[in-house]
């Protein structure tokens, strides 16, 4: 039996704040790689949260590896899709990709791990307020 893969797509119109020159990741007026990564991670995080269906649990990103292969100008709409490829208890693995109207602009993989939101936040806060 073949199971249908779960996926989720997020969209973004490239604005000035998404440009490499604005984000400090380059000097050109093109979509910044960190903006592409953020949209991919957002799609994966939302899909994982939908799967968890539990407000006490959330997921945190533990690995992302992408190849940004094509530039996108300001004003273009991009879409990023996360496809769940594996879920081993706490770990969620995704294939991620992004495209603009002319085709694929980035692709890669992303891993997230489920955590208890309150405990994880307390652990992080303890680093400063310990």
């Amino acid at each position: 039996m073949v199971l249908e893969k779960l996926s989720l797509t997020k969209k973004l119109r490239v604005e000035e704040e998404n440009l490499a020159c604005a984000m400090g990741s380059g000097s050109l007026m093109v979509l910044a790689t960190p903006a592409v990564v953020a949209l991919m991670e957002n799609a994966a995080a939302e899909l994982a949260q939908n799967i968890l269906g539990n407000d006490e649990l959330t997921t945190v990103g533990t690995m992302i590896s992408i190849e940004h292969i094509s530039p996108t100008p300001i004003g273009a709409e991009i879409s990023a899709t996360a496809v769940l490829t594996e879920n081993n208890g706490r770990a969620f693995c995704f294939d991620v990709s992004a495209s603009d109207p002319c085709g694929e602009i980035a692709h890669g993989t992303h891993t997230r791990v489920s955590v208890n939101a309150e405990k994880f936040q307390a652990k992080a806060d303890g680093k400063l307020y310990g």
Side-chain angles (χ1 to χ4, degrees):
M1 178 164 90
V2 176
L3 296 177
E4 182 179 340
K5 293 211 178 200
L6 298 175
S7 67
L8 193 136
T9 300
K10 302 291 277 188
K11 295 186 179 209
L12 171 79
R13 181 158 310 280
V14 179
E15 303 290 343
E16 190 172 329
E17 64 265 17
N18 309 120
L19 299 178
C21 59
M23 296 189 87
S25 66
S27 60
L28 298 175
M29 293 183 61
V30 296
L31 178 65
T33 301
V36 175
V37 169
L39 192 61
M40 291 172 157
E41 189 167 14
N42 185 261
E46 186 174 324
L47 179 54
Q49 194 64 43
N50 290 345
I51 294 166
L52 285 174
N54 180 335
D55 290 339
E56 292 179 11
L57 298 177
T58 189
T59 60
V60 293
T62 59
M63 188 282 300
I64 190 158
S65 175
I66 73 151
E67 184 177 10
H68 192 173
I69 58 174
S70 183
T72 303
I74 193 167
E77 184 173 271
I78 64 165
S79 61
T81 300
V83 179
L84 182 69
T85 58
E86 193 174 336
N87 179 215
N88 299 350
R90 290 185 58 207
F92 294 81
C93 300
F94 301 91
D95 283 338
V96 290
S97 62
S99 60
D100 66 19
C102 293
E104 186 176 74
I105 62 168
H107 59 263
T109 58
H110 179 46
T111 303
R112 301 188 69 77
V113 175
S114 65
V115 296
N116 177 289
E118 188 176 313
K119 288 180 183 177
F120 192 86
Q121 188 64 58
K123 180 180 177 181
D125 292 347
K127 290 183 174 185
L128 289 180
Y129 312 113

